[in-house]
């Protein structure tokens, strides 16, 4: 979320902090993260909102562990069909790409 929001909104100098805060609220609508910044209303609180969200959700170790767990818990092939194999491949590749993007190059031993 942060990477996309940062490129689209946060790093844009043409937007005021009030506009950025409004975009942030809209982006978080309906989710639990919105309650984290609930009391921060004015543009003076935009930086505080960002820091509060980062303090709550920027947990790279937890994200890494989750990706590894999801690879390990990938569903087994029941009938060995091409469709199941493609789904397994796509799932594993998704998590491997995410780990690589985080700077963690999964080793061959781990994958095996």
């Amino acid at each position: 979320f942060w990477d996309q929001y940062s490129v689209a909104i946060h790093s844009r100098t043409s937007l005021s902090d009030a506009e950025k805060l409004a975009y942030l609220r809209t982006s978080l609508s309906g989710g639990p993260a919105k309650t984290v910044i609930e009391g921060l209303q004015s543009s003076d609180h935009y930086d505080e909102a960002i820091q509060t969200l980062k303090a709550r959700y920027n947990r790279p170790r937890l994200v890494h562990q989750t990706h590894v767990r999801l690879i390990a818990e990938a569903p087994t092939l029941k009938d060995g069909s091409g469709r199941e194999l493609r789904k397994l491949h796509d799932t594993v590749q998704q998590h491997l790409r995410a780990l690589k993007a985080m700077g963690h190059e999964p080793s061959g031993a781990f994958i095996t």
Side-chain angles (χ1 to χ4, degrees):
F1 170 82
W2 177 249
D3 290 342
Q4 292 177 1
Y5 177 82
S6 181
V7 169
I9 305 298
H10 184 71
S11 62
R12 291 180 53 192
T13 56
S14 61
L15 296 174
S16 70
D17 283 353
E19 291 170 312
K20 291 178 184 181
L21 186 58
Y23 280 116
L24 182 61
R25 287 185 178 288
T26 302
S27 299
L28 300 176
S29 66
K34 187 173 184 178
T35 60
V36 173
I37 62 168
E38 199 57 40
L40 305 173
Q41 299 296 333
S42 72
S43 62
D44 297 338
H45 295 120
Y46 175 71
D47 288 331
E48 185 179 348
I50 295 299
Q51 293 307 317
T52 302
L53 288 168
K54 284 184 176 183
R56 172 70 63 90
Y57 293 106
N58 188 20
R59 310 243 188 231
R61 183 175 178 179
L62 181 62
V63 172
H64 178 270
Q65 289 173 345
T66 301
H67 284 297
V68 170
R69 181 179 49 78
L70 290 171
I71 290 171
E73 294 174 355
T76 58
L77 301 177
K78 294 178 182 164
D79 63 12
S81 70
R83 184 177 185 174
E84 279 187 331
L85 186 56
R86 277 191 302 277
K87 184 176 179 180
L88 175 63
H89 177 266
D90 291 345
T91 298
V92 171
Q93 286 299 314
Q94 172 191 355
H95 296 294
L96 291 176
R97 283 191 301 271
L99 288 169
K100 191 173 182 178
M102 293 175 63
H104 301 282
E105 187 66 45
S107 70
F110 167 75
I111 301 306
T112 303

